């Protein structure tokens, strides 16, 4: 068939990413070449391996997504031919590589998994019936995916206008972390100290549940001073004055 697949010319978000691309959906292309029981497949191959691709003779020989690194091609998006008819309402694009769950089927079923490298890739549509291929389109032009930005291209310095805000936010975040650590440390230390006290006094809980009386020690009553006792300066107690001794003789 003269139809050439191509990436959708519409301005779509994510039309080309590092692992997917949005392909224009063919319409009214297979009406005269396919029956209601036929299916339309999309063949995806590395650009330098597209010439070596051979259409599989049956469904059992369809190259699978899991073998792409070794076979350099696979088939996906198996769809009933009626979905591409002129009268069929259908979306305008086909998203190639958007099934992130691929790889978990063990290679038993066709899958529309993410593309493993930027490529370039070439694609074509293939109509298959019960007895094998019936019609095919031309190969597309090479499709190169977007490469992820290198970390070296990221500017680590913030914009001049927002640098003060970034610095203040960093300081506040640091203070918050320090305060949180201090609170946690205090709570942890208090819990450990209380636990150690409880462990040290094994009878504390039993003591708390028991009624008890304390021993009352009455205050000492003032005692009468002995005869001839006079008070010394406060804090030095009392003493009895001694009688004067005999005068020394000459």
């Amino acid at each position: 068939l003269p139809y050439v697949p191509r990436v959708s010319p519409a301005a779509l978000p994510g039309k080309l990413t590092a692992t997917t691309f949005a392909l224009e959906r063919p319409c009214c292309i297979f009406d005269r070449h396919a029956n209601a029981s036929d299916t339309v497949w999309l063949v995806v191959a590395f650009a330098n391996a597209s010439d070596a691709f051979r259409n599989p003779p049956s469904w059992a020989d369809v190259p699978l997504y899991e073998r792409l690194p070794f076979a350099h091609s696979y088939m996906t998006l198996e769809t009933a031919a009626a979905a591409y008819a002129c009268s069929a309402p259908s979306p305008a694009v086909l998203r190639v590589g958007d099934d992130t769950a691929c790889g978990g089927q063990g290679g038993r079923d066709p899958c529309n998994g993410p593309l493993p490298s930027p490529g370039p890739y070439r694609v074509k549509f293939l109509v298959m019936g019960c007895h094998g291929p019936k019609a095919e389109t031309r190969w597309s032009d090479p499709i190169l995916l977007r490469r992820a930005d290198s970390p070296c291209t990221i500017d680590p310095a913030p914009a001049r206008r927002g640098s003060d805000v970034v610095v203040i936010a960093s300081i506040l975040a640091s203070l918050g972390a320090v305060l949180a650590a201090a609170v946690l440390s205090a709570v942890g230390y208090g819990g450990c100290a209380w636990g150690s006290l409880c462990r040290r006094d094994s009878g504390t809980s039993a003591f708390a549940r028991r009624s008890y009386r304390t021993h009352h020690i009455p205050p000492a009553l003032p005692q009468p001073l002995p005869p001839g006792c006079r008070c010394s300066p406060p804090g030095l107690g009392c003493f009895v004055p001694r009688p004067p001794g005999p005068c020394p003789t000459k």
Side-chain angles (χ1 to χ4, degrees), residues 148-217:
D149 291 335
S150 171
C152 299
T153 62
I154 300 176
D155 185 7
R160 181 180 302 273
R161 179 166 43 184
S163 60
D164 295 337
V165 177
V166 172
V167 171
I168 293 173
S170 301
I171 294 174
L172 292 178
S174 301
L175 291 176
V178 171
L179 290 176
V183 171
L184 291 177
S185 299
V187 171
Y189 176 79
C192 293
W194 180 258
S196 63
L197 289 176
C198 291
R199 288 191 297 269
R200 188 178 305 170
D201 185 7
S202 59
T204 303
S205 58
F207 180 75
R209 292 192 299 268
R210 186 181 306 160
S211 62
Y212 61 94
R213 290 184 179 180
T214 59
H215 294 284
H216 178 68
I217 302 176

Side-chain angles (χ1 to χ4, degrees), residues 41-43 53-64 73-76 124 126-134 136:
W41 292 76
L42 178 70
V43 182
F53 179 83
R54 297 294 178 263
N55 294 333
S58 66
W59 192 95
D61 300 311
V62 169
L64 302 178
S73 60
Y74 70 101
M75 292 170 59
T76 185
K124 72 175 181 179
L126 177 64
V127 181
M128 292 192 65
C130 297
H131 302 288
K134 296 180 63 175
E136 64 180 341

Side-chain angles (χ1 to χ4, degrees), residues 64-69 74 76 97-116:
L64 302 178
Y65 166 77
E66 285 77 5
R67 293 189 56 81
L68 176 60
Y74 70 101
T76 185
D98 68 341
D99 189 357
T100 57
C102 282
Q105 297 99 339
R108 295 186 298 271
D109 297 320
C111 189
N112 184 27
L115 299 169

Side-chain angles (χ1 to χ4, degrees), residues 16-41:
L16 281 176
T17 70
T19 57
T20 65
F21 62 89
L23 196 65
E24 186 180 50
R25 187 183 185 94
C27 185
C28 306
I29 304 298
F30 313 111
D31 287 357
R32 293 181 299 172
H33 305 277
N35 300 324
S37 60
D38 295 337
T39 57
V40 178
W41 292 76

